[in-house]
Amino acid sequence: MALPTKDLIDLEFLTAEEIMEILETAKPMKDVLKRKIKTVPALRGKTVATLFYENSTRTRLSFELAAKYLSAGTCNISSSASSVAKGESLQDTGRTLDAMGTDIIIIRHNMSGAPKLLGEAVNARVINAGDGTHAHPTQALLDLFTILERKGQIKGLTVTILGDILHSRVARSNIWGLTKLGAHVRVCGPPTLMPTEVEQMGAKVYYDIDEALEGSDVVNVLRIQLERQQKGLFPSIEEYAKCYAMTEERLKRAKSDLLVLHPGPMNRTIEIPTAVADSAQCTVEEQVTNGVACRMALLYLMSGGGQDE
């Protein structure tokens, strides 16, 4: 795959053509997941390491499964069970993996910029699996793939990203990907949870949820990140839910074919009630499946797309 650099830090640094190449490659990868025997030899002889400094279920497991389905060797490292707990630096951890022959390192870190720092220190290719509040490119890829499958296109669609935009790396990566592929992007949330730079990225800001949902084809409901919240950004959880939850009543008032996305895990009592989360318009389980397919596609392309075989 022809990336501007050897690493995937964010969709900001990919062209529309490169993003579409990943999404097109994910289609046959999803077909692999439907087989009784899901393993193909595309990455045989390659080694993939997951290096996670934050808790994760979906992202970590989907990367591990993606690598295994492609027959890559895998190793999993958590900061609490490694030399990181003894004070080892990120660069030294990366160089250790490099010395062991690792081909791809997948990193999640609570500090924005950590994947870029790691990529500059190692020869292995680095994939950002989420860094601080900066970026989550593979979540954006699976969201784009889900929209493309359900809607048949992305260009010309109106997509609303709803909730805590300030702390959301998912929102930022989605904005880059959606705008590059020709979608009209709206962001909606409380003024205190709206970053100042979001309009410069190509999104239109709304503070009224009903106004934002009017005419929208897709709504991506973000999780309220209680672990990242600062005191006083909104009056209470109850007040936030009243003003910005994607309720059943709001779903009924929206377009009949409105697609509802959520990156998970869901706070069903806050940003999305169970009736909406379990509705036919909500794609949460599809997104999980598509996450494996998109990460398989990315690993395959970043490993040379089978050219080394």
Side-chain angles (χ1 to χ4, degrees), residues 208-251:
D208 183 281
I209 182 173
D210 295 308
E211 185 181 351
L213 290 175
E214 186 176 352
S216 290
D217 300 290
V218 181
V219 59
N220 197 339
V221 184
L222 302 175
R223 179 176 68 90
I224 279 292
Q225 300 183 44
L226 299 174
E227 72 277 13
R228 299 186 197 274
Q229 291 300 328
Q230 302 169 39
K231 187 175 181 181
L233 288 180
F234 50 83
S236 67
I237 292 295
E238 292 76 18
E239 184 70 16
Y240 177 89
K242 178 182 177 182
C243 295
Y244 292 102
M246 187 61 211
T247 62
E248 194 172 11
E249 292 73 23
R250 288 178 172 133
L251 185 63

Side-chain angles (χ1 to χ4, degrees), residues 8-12 52 54-56 58-60 62-63 106-108 115 127-144 167-177 223 225 228 263-264 295 298:
L8 178 65
I9 303 301
D10 197 9
L11 300 192
E12 177 185 0
F52 276 54
E54 281 187 334
N55 294 333
S56 171
R58 292 160 185 78
T59 302
R60 182 169 189 161
S62 65
F63 265 119
I106 298 153
I107 177 173
R108 169 168 286 190
I127 298 176
N128 181 5
D131 62 326
T133 60
H134 170 239
H136 196 344
T138 59
Q139 178 66 45
L141 286 169
L142 73 90
D143 291 343
L144 292 169
H167 299 98
S168 179
R169 54 197 178 203
V170 173
R172 287 173 173 81
S173 292
N174 262 278
I175 292 169
W176 287 121
R223 179 176 68 90
Q225 300 183 44
R228 299 186 197 274
R295 286 160 181 142
L298 185 60

Side-chain angles (χ1 to χ4, degrees), residues 15-34:
T15 64
E17 292 73 23
E18 289 164 341
I19 294 171
M20 283 305 302
E21 184 180 6
I22 299 170
L23 301 183
E24 289 296 327
T25 306
K27 293 178 182 178
M29 295 301 178
K30 190 170 181 178
D31 290 336
V32 172
L33 299 179
K34 298 174 184 176

Side-chain angles (χ1 to χ4, degrees), residues 19-230:
I19 294 171
M20 283 305 302
E21 184 180 6
I22 299 170
L23 301 183
E24 289 296 327
T25 306
K27 293 178 182 178
M29 295 301 178
K30 190 170 181 178
D31 290 336
V32 172
L33 299 179
K34 298 174 184 176
R35 300 177 186 176
K36 288 185 178 180
I37 299 176
K38 299 178 178 64
T39 307
V40 294
L43 263 63
R44 184 176 293 162
K46 301 289 185 180
T47 303
V48 176
T50 56
L51 178 60
F52 276 54
Y53 290 75
E54 281 187 334
N55 294 333
S56 171
T57 300
R58 292 160 185 78
T59 302
R60 182 169 189 161
L61 185 56
S62 65
F63 265 119
E64 291 174 11
L65 289 173
K68 289 177 179 178
Y69 291 155
L70 294 171
S71 300
T74 60
C75 57
N76 312 309
I77 304 145
S78 62
S79 58
S80 61
S82 70
S83 293
V84 172
K86 301 177 182 179
E88 184 174 69
S89 71
L90 174 63
Q91 294 96 322
D92 284 341
T93 299
R95 292 185 186 109
T96 299
L97 291 171
D98 239 4
M100 293 179 178
T102 303
D103 297 291
I104 298 176
I105 302 173
I106 298 153
I107 177 173
R108 169 168 286 190
H109 204 285
N110 59 350
M111 297 298 293
S112 298
K116 185 175 186 296
L117 188 68
L118 177 64
E120 292 169 349
V122 300
N123 295 315
R125 303 195 77 167
V126 172
I127 298 176
N128 181 5
D131 62 326
T133 60
H134 170 239
H136 196 344
T138 59
Q139 178 66 45
L141 286 169
L142 73 90
D143 291 343
L144 292 169
F145 186 71
T146 303
I147 295 169
L148 192 60
E149 273 202 322
R150 282 288 199 106
K151 295 292 187 180
Q153 63 180 38
I154 293 174
K155 187 176 182 179
L157 294 180
T158 298
V159 180
T160 294
I161 303 174
L162 174 64
D164 180 2
I165 311 297
L166 180 64
H167 299 98
S168 179
R169 54 197 178 203
V170 173
R172 287 173 173 81
S173 292
N174 262 278
I175 292 169
W176 287 121
L178 287 163
T179 54
K180 284 175 184 285
L181 296 184
H184 306 292
V185 182
R186 301 172 177 177
V187 289
C188 179
T192 52
L193 294 178
M194 192 65 65
T196 56
E197 75 277 8
V198 72
E199 287 183 297
Q200 298 172 11
M201 297 171 65
K204 187 174 181 180
V205 175
Y206 289 77
Y207 300 113
D208 183 281
I209 182 173
D210 295 308
E211 185 181 351
L213 290 175
E214 186 176 352
S216 290
D217 300 290
V218 181
V219 59
N220 197 339
V221 184
L222 302 175
R223 179 176 68 90
I224 279 292
Q225 300 183 44
L226 299 174
E227 72 277 13
R228 299 186 197 274
Q229 291 300 328
Q230 302 169 39

